[in-house]
Amino acid sequence: MGGRDLSAMLHDSYVLDLASMTWQTEGAPLLPFEVCNNVCDDIESVPYHKVFSFGGKKGMMQYMNTVEVMDCGSQVWSTPPVDGGKAPCGRCAVFEQEAAQGSAAAACRQPPC
């Protein structure tokens, strides 16, 4: 979901059909906006699983601190209300291999909020 290449930010999604082991894009829900370096996880929920996305970057230095949720039954993304407490600073994920190379770690540093 999402990501970037050398020329553009992406907000596409791919679905792996486990029966045929092929990637499909038709019917896959688009993320609400272009994002990279976000963290995603799925939670088993009734009646359908939910995919949660947190943080990431919208642009070169635009860090996000939002939560997006996709209901796997309806294939629709939403932004739930998050009430109480102070939201964390905007941030993005850095993977160990990228951090070892130095460039991704530097790209994800930001001033304190």
Side-chain angles (χ1 to χ4, degrees):
M1 291 182 228
R4 69 181 180 106
D5 61 19
L6 294 175
S7 62
M9 298 280 292
L10 308 169
H11 68 137
D12 54 354
S13 295
Y14 290 81
V15 175
L16 177 62
D17 181 328
L18 296 176
S20 65
M21 292 306 287
T22 58
W23 289 102
Q24 301 176 359
T25 57
E26 187 173 326
L30 295 177
L31 285 162
F33 40 78
E34 299 167 339
V35 63
C36 70
N37 295 94
N38 55 322
V39 176
C40 288
D41 201 357
D42 76 300
I43 305 291
E44 187 174 355
S45 183
V46 176
Y48 301 106
H49 283 253
K50 302 221 182 314
V51 175
F52 289 80
S53 172
F54 172 75
K57 291 190 329 181
K58 276 179 133 175
M60 183 58 86
M61 297 300 287
Q62 187 177 1
Y63 297 91
M64 300 169 32
N65 69 345
T66 58
V67 175
E68 305 292 330
V69 181
M70 184 189 69
D71 181 285
C72 293
S74 66
Q75 298 285 301
V76 172
W77 285 95
S78 63
T79 304
V82 180
D83 299 327
K86 182 179 185 240
C89 296
R91 59 194 67 200
C92 65
V94 177
F95 301 98
E96 288 182 29
Q97 181 179 6
E98 293 172 336
Q101 295 172 355
S103 61
C108 287
R109 286 192 191 117
Q110 67 172 7
C113 61

